mmCIF file of all heavy atoms in Angstrom:
data_model
loop_
_atom_site.group_PDB
_atom_site.id
_atom_site.type_symbol
_atom_site.label_atom_id
_atom_site.label_comp_id
_atom_site.label_asym_id
_atom_site.label_seq_id
_atom_site.Cartn_x
_atom_site.Cartn_y
_atom_site.Cartn_z
ATOM 1 N N ALA A 697 -2.628 4.418 -7.320
ATOM 2 C CA ALA A 697 -2.832 3.322 -8.221
ATOM 3 C C ALA A 697 -3.706 3.763 -9.331
ATOM 4 O O ALA A 697 -4.604 2.987 -9.915
ATOM 5 C CB ALA A 697 -3.329 2.147 -7.494
ATOM 6 N N ASP A 698 -3.634 4.992 -9.717
ATOM 7 C CA ASP A 698 -4.490 5.635 -10.672
ATOM 8 C C ASP A 698 -4.362 5.085 -12.097
ATOM 9 O O ASP A 698 -5.289 5.100 -12.888
ATOM 10 C CB ASP A 698 -4.232 7.180 -10.728
ATOM 11 C CG ASP A 698 -4.543 7.841 -9.421
ATOM 12 O OD1 ASP A 698 -5.352 7.315 -8.634
ATOM 13 O OD2 ASP A 698 -3.944 8.892 -9.156
ATOM 14 N N ASP A 699 -3.176 4.524 -12.391
ATOM 15 C CA ASP A 699 -2.898 3.987 -13.808
ATOM 16 C C ASP A 699 -3.383 2.565 -13.943
ATOM 17 O O ASP A 699 -3.007 1.965 -14.939
ATOM 18 C CB ASP A 699 -1.421 4.135 -14.041
ATOM 19 C CG ASP A 699 -0.550 3.365 -13.064
ATOM 20 O OD1 ASP A 699 -1.048 3.100 -11.928
ATOM 21 O OD2 ASP A 699 0.606 3.017 -13.496
ATOM 22 N N VAL A 700 -4.145 2.011 -12.950
ATOM 23 C CA VAL A 700 -4.478 0.572 -13.060
ATOM 24 C C VAL A 700 -5.963 0.490 -13.466
ATOM 25 O O VAL A 700 -6.825 1.170 -12.954
ATOM 26 C CB VAL A 700 -4.230 -0.083 -11.686
ATOM 27 C CG1 VAL A 700 -4.705 -1.470 -11.639
ATOM 28 C CG2 VAL A 700 -2.829 0.082 -11.295
ATOM 29 N N ALA A 701 -6.235 -0.533 -14.326
ATOM 30 C CA ALA A 701 -7.594 -0.814 -14.648
ATOM 31 C C ALA A 701 -8.300 -1.346 -13.396
ATOM 32 O O ALA A 701 -7.690 -2.044 -12.584
ATOM 33 C CB ALA A 701 -7.651 -1.872 -15.740
ATOM 34 N N PRO A 702 -9.540 -0.922 -13.173
ATOM 35 C CA PRO A 702 -10.230 -1.366 -11.953
ATOM 36 C C PRO A 702 -10.177 -2.863 -11.702
ATOM 37 O O PRO A 702 -9.895 -3.271 -10.503
ATOM 38 C CB PRO A 702 -11.689 -0.912 -12.193
ATOM 39 C CG PRO A 702 -11.549 0.222 -13.198
ATOM 40 C CD PRO A 702 -10.388 -0.107 -13.939
ATOM 41 N N GLU A 703 -10.417 -3.644 -12.707
ATOM 42 C CA GLU A 703 -10.366 -5.081 -12.472
ATOM 43 C C GLU A 703 -9.016 -5.600 -12.055
ATOM 44 O O GLU A 703 -8.890 -6.742 -11.456
ATOM 45 C CB GLU A 703 -10.873 -5.869 -13.716
ATOM 46 C CG GLU A 703 -10.077 -5.666 -14.930
ATOM 47 C CD GLU A 703 -10.496 -4.411 -15.738
ATOM 48 O OE1 GLU A 703 -11.282 -3.547 -15.280
ATOM 49 O OE2 GLU A 703 -9.890 -4.364 -16.818
ATOM 50 N N ASP A 704 -7.922 -4.816 -12.309
ATOM 51 C CA ASP A 704 -6.531 -5.250 -11.960
ATOM 52 C C ASP A 704 -6.120 -4.672 -10.611
ATOM 53 O O ASP A 704 -5.023 -5.121 -10.084
ATOM 54 C CB ASP A 704 -5.565 -4.823 -13.003
ATOM 55 C CG ASP A 704 -5.790 -5.529 -14.383
ATOM 56 O OD1 ASP A 704 -6.335 -6.644 -14.340
ATOM 57 O OD2 ASP A 704 -5.525 -4.897 -15.363
ATOM 58 N N LEU A 705 -6.924 -3.858 -10.002
ATOM 59 C CA LEU A 705 -6.509 -3.161 -8.795
ATOM 60 C C LEU A 705 -6.247 -4.064 -7.569
ATOM 61 O O LEU A 705 -5.240 -3.959 -6.968
ATOM 62 C CB LEU A 705 -7.609 -2.098 -8.346
ATOM 63 C CG LEU A 705 -7.223 -1.280 -7.229
ATOM 64 C CD1 LEU A 705 -5.958 -0.493 -7.430
ATOM 65 C CD2 LEU A 705 -8.325 -0.266 -6.938
ATOM 66 N N PRO A 706 -7.124 -5.084 -7.347
ATOM 67 C CA PRO A 706 -6.792 -5.970 -6.151
ATOM 68 C C PRO A 706 -5.376 -6.616 -6.272
ATOM 69 O O PRO A 706 -4.622 -6.588 -5.296
ATOM 70 C CB PRO A 706 -7.863 -6.990 -6.182
ATOM 71 C CG PRO A 706 -9.032 -6.373 -6.868
ATOM 72 C CD PRO A 706 -8.398 -5.487 -7.908
ATOM 73 N N VAL A 707 -5.075 -7.202 -7.421
ATOM 74 C CA VAL A 707 -3.756 -7.844 -7.563
ATOM 75 C C VAL A 707 -2.568 -6.844 -7.639
ATOM 76 O O VAL A 707 -1.557 -7.089 -7.002
ATOM 77 C CB VAL A 707 -3.749 -8.709 -8.829
ATOM 78 C CG1 VAL A 707 -2.314 -9.215 -9.114
ATOM 79 C CG2 VAL A 707 -4.670 -9.873 -8.710
ATOM 80 N N ARG A 708 -2.798 -5.672 -8.119
ATOM 81 C CA ARG A 708 -1.867 -4.602 -8.077
ATOM 82 C C ARG A 708 -1.501 -4.146 -6.675
ATOM 83 O O ARG A 708 -0.355 -4.052 -6.265
ATOM 84 C CB ARG A 708 -2.297 -3.404 -8.882
ATOM 85 C CG ARG A 708 -1.591 -2.102 -8.641
ATOM 86 C CD ARG A 708 -0.108 -2.106 -9.184
ATOM 87 N NE ARG A 708 0.625 -0.908 -8.852
ATOM 88 C CZ ARG A 708 0.636 0.192 -9.592
ATOM 89 N NH1 ARG A 708 -0.111 0.158 -10.698
ATOM 90 N NH2 ARG A 708 1.182 1.231 -9.234
ATOM 91 N N LEU A 709 -2.564 -3.975 -5.911
ATOM 92 C CA LEU A 709 -2.322 -3.599 -4.420
ATOM 93 C C LEU A 709 -1.653 -4.745 -3.720
ATOM 94 O O LEU A 709 -0.714 -4.486 -2.832
ATOM 95 C CB LEU A 709 -3.624 -3.285 -3.805
ATOM 96 C CG LEU A 709 -4.338 -2.019 -4.306
ATOM 97 C CD1 LEU A 709 -5.742 -1.823 -3.736
ATOM 98 C CD2 LEU A 709 -3.465 -0.721 -3.928
ATOM 99 N N LEU A 710 -1.973 -5.997 -4.049
ATOM 100 C CA LEU A 710 -1.344 -7.113 -3.325
ATOM 101 C C LEU A 710 0.218 -7.135 -3.703
ATOM 102 O O LEU A 710 1.020 -7.265 -2.825
ATOM 103 C CB LEU A 710 -1.977 -8.498 -3.701
ATOM 104 C CG LEU A 710 -1.164 -9.667 -3.257
ATOM 105 C CD1 LEU A 710 -1.394 -9.799 -1.739
ATOM 106 C CD2 LEU A 710 -1.606 -10.902 -3.978
ATOM 107 N N ARG A 711 0.511 -6.886 -4.948
ATOM 108 C CA ARG A 711 1.924 -6.833 -5.363
ATOM 109 C C ARG A 711 2.636 -5.738 -4.696
ATOM 110 O O ARG A 711 3.737 -5.910 -4.291
ATOM 111 C CB ARG A 711 1.967 -6.755 -6.891
ATOM 112 C CG ARG A 711 1.528 -7.974 -7.656
ATOM 113 C CD ARG A 711 1.600 -7.811 -9.128
ATOM 114 N NE ARG A 711 1.164 -9.035 -9.816
ATOM 115 C CZ ARG A 711 0.683 -9.038 -11.021
ATOM 116 N NH1 ARG A 711 0.681 -7.856 -11.749
ATOM 117 N NH2 ARG A 711 0.295 -10.172 -11.543
ATOM 118 N N ASP A 712 1.966 -4.563 -4.502
ATOM 119 C CA ASP A 712 2.538 -3.454 -3.806
ATOM 120 C C ASP A 712 2.948 -3.791 -2.367
ATOM 121 O O ASP A 712 4.036 -3.622 -1.862
ATOM 122 C CB ASP A 712 1.718 -2.204 -3.835
ATOM 123 C CG ASP A 712 1.602 -1.545 -5.134
ATOM 124 O OD1 ASP A 712 2.397 -1.925 -6.127
ATOM 125 O OD2 ASP A 712 0.802 -0.679 -5.319
ATOM 126 N N VAL A 713 1.953 -4.473 -1.710
ATOM 127 C CA VAL A 713 2.136 -4.936 -0.373
ATOM 128 C C VAL A 713 3.220 -5.998 -0.159
ATOM 129 O O VAL A 713 4.116 -5.856 0.647
ATOM 130 C CB VAL A 713 0.811 -5.465 0.267
ATOM 131 C CG1 VAL A 713 1.019 -6.347 1.474
ATOM 132 C CG2 VAL A 713 -0.216 -4.324 0.428
ATOM 133 N N LEU A 714 3.259 -6.942 -1.147
ATOM 134 C CA LEU A 714 4.255 -7.962 -1.041
ATOM 135 C C LEU A 714 5.624 -7.304 -1.338
ATOM 136 O O LEU A 714 6.658 -7.752 -0.715
ATOM 137 C CB LEU A 714 3.929 -9.076 -2.066
ATOM 138 C CG LEU A 714 2.688 -9.859 -1.770
ATOM 139 C CD1 LEU A 714 2.431 -10.917 -2.837
ATOM 140 C CD2 LEU A 714 2.826 -10.562 -0.444
ATOM 141 N N GLY A 715 5.805 -6.466 -2.352
ATOM 142 C CA GLY A 715 7.029 -5.751 -2.569
ATOM 143 C C GLY A 715 7.554 -5.021 -1.487
ATOM 144 O O GLY A 715 8.682 -5.041 -1.178
ATOM 145 N N ALA A 716 6.691 -4.351 -0.824
ATOM 146 C CA ALA A 716 7.077 -3.518 0.406
ATOM 147 C C ALA A 716 7.506 -4.382 1.551
ATOM 148 O O ALA A 716 8.532 -4.072 2.143
ATOM 149 C CB ALA A 716 5.882 -2.687 0.851
ATOM 150 N N ALA A 717 6.866 -5.540 1.743
ATOM 151 C CA ALA A 717 7.312 -6.469 2.737
ATOM 152 C C ALA A 717 8.729 -6.993 2.477
ATOM 153 O O ALA A 717 9.561 -7.188 3.394
ATOM 154 C CB ALA A 717 6.317 -7.635 2.917
ATOM 155 N N GLU A 718 9.038 -7.087 1.213
ATOM 156 C CA GLU A 718 10.446 -7.581 0.788
ATOM 157 C C GLU A 718 11.382 -6.506 1.132
ATOM 158 O O GLU A 718 12.626 -6.720 1.267
ATOM 159 C CB GLU A 718 10.426 -8.003 -0.687
ATOM 160 C CG GLU A 718 9.508 -9.144 -0.977
ATOM 161 C CD GLU A 718 9.910 -10.375 -0.260
ATOM 162 O OE1 GLU A 718 11.091 -10.704 -0.114
ATOM 163 O OE2 GLU A 718 8.963 -11.047 0.184
ATOM 164 N N GLN A 719 10.977 -5.207 1.176
ATOM 165 C CA GLN A 719 11.819 -4.071 1.380
ATOM 166 C C GLN A 719 11.622 -3.589 2.796
ATOM 167 O O GLN A 719 11.599 -2.393 3.049
ATOM 168 C CB GLN A 719 11.513 -2.959 0.380
ATOM 169 C CG GLN A 719 11.748 -3.403 -1.009
ATOM 170 C CD GLN A 719 11.145 -2.378 -1.941
ATOM 171 O OE1 GLN A 719 10.701 -1.316 -1.600
ATOM 172 N NE2 GLN A 719 11.078 -2.758 -3.204
ATOM 173 N N ASP A 720 11.553 -4.468 3.808
ATOM 174 C CA ASP A 720 11.388 -4.085 5.222
ATOM 175 C C ASP A 720 10.118 -3.337 5.493
ATOM 176 O O ASP A 720 10.127 -2.557 6.428
ATOM 177 C CB ASP A 720 12.641 -3.363 5.721
ATOM 178 C CG ASP A 720 13.896 -4.122 5.609
ATOM 179 O OD1 ASP A 720 13.850 -5.409 5.817
ATOM 180 O OD2 ASP A 720 14.908 -3.529 5.244
ATOM 181 N N GLY A 721 9.012 -3.639 4.752
ATOM 182 C CA GLY A 721 7.708 -3.016 5.121
ATOM 183 C C GLY A 721 7.615 -1.530 5.056
ATOM 184 O O GLY A 721 6.859 -0.976 5.751
ATOM 185 N N ASP A 722 8.357 -0.949 4.122
ATOM 186 C CA ASP A 722 8.291 0.581 4.090
ATOM 187 C C ASP A 722 7.214 1.101 3.149
ATOM 188 O O ASP A 722 7.310 2.241 2.736
ATOM 189 C CB ASP A 722 9.673 1.194 3.887
ATOM 190 C CG ASP A 722 10.227 0.865 2.435
ATOM 191 O OD1 ASP A 722 9.701 0.087 1.747
ATOM 192 O OD2 ASP A 722 11.226 1.593 2.138
ATOM 193 N N HIS A 723 6.195 0.315 2.871
ATOM 194 C CA HIS A 723 5.144 0.797 2.068
ATOM 195 C C HIS A 723 4.399 1.888 2.809
ATOM 196 O O HIS A 723 4.278 1.873 4.003
ATOM 197 C CB HIS A 723 4.097 -0.331 1.842
ATOM 198 C CG HIS A 723 3.099 0.053 0.809
ATOM 199 N ND1 HIS A 723 1.972 0.669 1.103
ATOM 200 C CD2 HIS A 723 2.994 -0.231 -0.543
ATOM 201 C CE1 HIS A 723 1.325 0.880 -0.024
ATOM 202 N NE2 HIS A 723 1.876 0.328 -1.030
ATOM 203 N N PRO A 724 4.040 2.928 2.093
ATOM 204 C CA PRO A 724 3.310 4.141 2.790
ATOM 205 C C PRO A 724 2.137 3.711 3.606
ATOM 206 O O PRO A 724 1.852 4.380 4.584
ATOM 207 C CB PRO A 724 2.867 4.960 1.591
ATOM 208 C CG PRO A 724 3.880 4.675 0.507
ATOM 209 C CD PRO A 724 4.169 3.203 0.664
ATOM 210 N N LEU A 725 1.511 2.694 3.208
ATOM 211 C CA LEU A 725 0.390 2.100 4.032
ATOM 212 C C LEU A 725 0.773 1.838 5.449
ATOM 213 O O LEU A 725 -0.026 2.114 6.396
ATOM 214 C CB LEU A 725 -0.219 0.824 3.419
ATOM 215 C CG LEU A 725 -1.374 0.207 4.114
ATOM 216 C CD1 LEU A 725 -2.531 1.166 4.195
ATOM 217 C CD2 LEU A 725 -1.759 -0.972 3.287
ATOM 218 N N MET A 726 1.979 1.213 5.559
ATOM 219 C CA MET A 726 2.470 0.916 7.005
ATOM 220 C C MET A 726 2.685 2.207 7.767
ATOM 221 O O MET A 726 2.393 2.240 8.951
ATOM 222 C CB MET A 726 3.710 0.081 6.929
ATOM 223 C CG MET A 726 3.531 -1.241 6.428
ATOM 224 S SD MET A 726 2.211 -2.240 7.158
ATOM 225 C CE MET A 726 2.726 -2.187 8.876
ATOM 226 N N ALA A 727 3.068 3.266 7.140
ATOM 227 C CA ALA A 727 3.294 4.596 7.816
ATOM 228 C C ALA A 727 1.914 5.064 8.321
ATOM 229 O O ALA A 727 1.821 5.583 9.438
ATOM 230 C CB ALA A 727 3.994 5.542 6.914
ATOM 231 N N LEU A 728 0.893 4.930 7.446
ATOM 232 C CA LEU A 728 -0.413 5.373 7.850
ATOM 233 C C LEU A 728 -0.938 4.482 8.952
ATOM 234 O O LEU A 728 -1.611 5.018 9.922
ATOM 235 C CB LEU A 728 -1.346 5.339 6.622
ATOM 236 C CG LEU A 728 -1.100 6.457 5.613
ATOM 237 C CD1 LEU A 728 -1.972 6.200 4.351
ATOM 238 C CD2 LEU A 728 -1.406 7.826 6.147
ATOM 239 N N LEU A 729 -0.754 3.194 8.874
ATOM 240 C CA LEU A 729 -1.241 2.353 9.955
ATOM 241 C C LEU A 729 -0.549 2.608 11.232
ATOM 242 O O LEU A 729 -1.197 2.697 12.286
ATOM 243 C CB LEU A 729 -1.079 0.852 9.538
ATOM 244 C CG LEU A 729 -1.965 0.315 8.495
ATOM 245 C CD1 LEU A 729 -1.563 -1.063 8.050
ATOM 246 C CD2 LEU A 729 -3.447 0.289 9.006
ATOM 247 N N ARG A 730 0.686 2.813 11.288
ATOM 248 C CA ARG A 730 1.502 3.030 12.459
ATOM 249 C C ARG A 730 1.187 4.436 13.003
ATOM 250 O O ARG A 730 1.584 4.681 14.156
ATOM 251 C CB ARG A 730 3.001 2.788 12.236
ATOM 252 C CG ARG A 730 3.309 1.311 12.129
ATOM 253 C CD ARG A 730 4.822 1.086 12.294
ATOM 254 N NE ARG A 730 5.035 -0.312 12.482
ATOM 255 C CZ ARG A 730 5.599 -1.062 11.609
ATOM 256 N NH1 ARG A 730 6.014 -0.558 10.477
ATOM 257 N NH2 ARG A 730 5.772 -2.433 11.817
ATOM 258 N N SER A 731 0.667 5.260 12.196
ATOM 259 C CA SER A 731 0.383 6.663 12.593
ATOM 260 C C SER A 731 -1.090 6.909 12.888
ATOM 261 O O SER A 731 -1.542 8.046 13.067
ATOM 262 C CB SER A 731 0.809 7.640 11.596
ATOM 263 O OG SER A 731 2.215 7.494 11.231
ATOM 264 N N SER A 732 -1.929 5.880 12.914
ATOM 265 C CA SER A 732 -3.370 6.042 12.908
ATOM 266 C C SER A 732 -3.794 6.635 14.285
ATOM 267 O O SER A 732 -4.975 7.047 14.353
ATOM 268 C CB SER A 732 -4.139 4.676 12.694
ATOM 269 O OG SER A 732 -3.686 3.762 13.648
ATOM 270 N N GLY A 733 -2.947 6.718 15.296
ATOM 271 C CA GLY A 733 -3.292 7.404 16.566
ATOM 272 C C GLY A 733 -3.342 8.919 16.302
ATOM 273 O O GLY A 733 -3.801 9.594 17.118
ATOM 274 N N HIS A 734 -2.670 9.390 15.290
ATOM 275 C CA HIS A 734 -2.525 10.807 14.929
ATOM 276 C C HIS A 734 -3.825 11.097 14.055
ATOM 277 O O HIS A 734 -3.929 10.449 13.000
ATOM 278 C CB HIS A 734 -1.242 10.994 14.198
ATOM 279 C CG HIS A 734 -0.896 12.355 13.970
ATOM 280 N ND1 HIS A 734 -1.277 12.995 12.842
ATOM 281 C CD2 HIS A 734 -0.173 13.268 14.740
ATOM 282 C CE1 HIS A 734 -0.734 14.344 12.891
ATOM 283 N NE2 HIS A 734 -0.112 14.424 14.103
ATOM 284 N N GLU A 735 -4.566 11.976 14.447
ATOM 285 C CA GLU A 735 -5.870 12.193 13.690
ATOM 286 C C GLU A 735 -5.808 12.469 12.250
ATOM 287 O O GLU A 735 -6.548 11.966 11.456
ATOM 288 C CB GLU A 735 -6.650 13.336 14.386
ATOM 289 C CG GLU A 735 -8.010 13.580 13.882
ATOM 290 C CD GLU A 735 -9.078 12.410 14.078
ATOM 291 O OE1 GLU A 735 -8.682 11.471 14.788
ATOM 292 O OE2 GLU A 735 -10.148 12.461 13.531
ATOM 293 N N GLN A 736 -4.843 13.293 11.805
ATOM 294 C CA GLN A 736 -4.710 13.613 10.366
ATOM 295 C C GLN A 736 -4.332 12.329 9.712
ATOM 296 O O GLN A 736 -4.771 12.165 8.552
ATOM 297 C CB GLN A 736 -3.697 14.764 10.244
ATOM 298 C CG GLN A 736 -4.260 16.002 10.585
ATOM 299 C CD GLN A 736 -3.252 17.168 10.420
ATOM 300 O OE1 GLN A 736 -2.141 17.042 10.930
ATOM 301 N NE2 GLN A 736 -3.654 18.223 9.752
ATOM 302 N N ALA A 737 -3.453 11.546 10.155
ATOM 303 C CA ALA A 737 -3.036 10.286 9.502
ATOM 304 C C ALA A 737 -4.208 9.322 9.429
ATOM 305 O O ALA A 737 -4.439 8.640 8.401
ATOM 306 C CB ALA A 737 -1.935 9.583 10.265
#
């Protein structure tokens, strides 16, 4: 989210999360959360 003004970041992240949920939750964040038992993840 490097291209986002700091004040717009919370809403940008929300939109990313909502968009991913519409696409069966395949946002990279879900991969990291589901992999959090793996130390590197």
Side-chain angles (χ1 to χ4, degrees):
D698 298 333
D699 61 336
V700 178
E703 62 275 7
D704 297 332
L705 185 59
V707 171
R708 164 68 182 275
L709 291 171
L710 174 72
R711 288 177 182 160
D712 287 350
V713 163
L714 295 176
E718 298 301 316
Q719 300 166 10
D720 298 324
D722 67 351
H723 190 276
L725 178 61
M726 292 310 300
L728 288 171
L729 287 171
R730 286 197 169 109
S731 303
S732 61
H734 192 268
E735 184 65 10
Q736 288 178 307

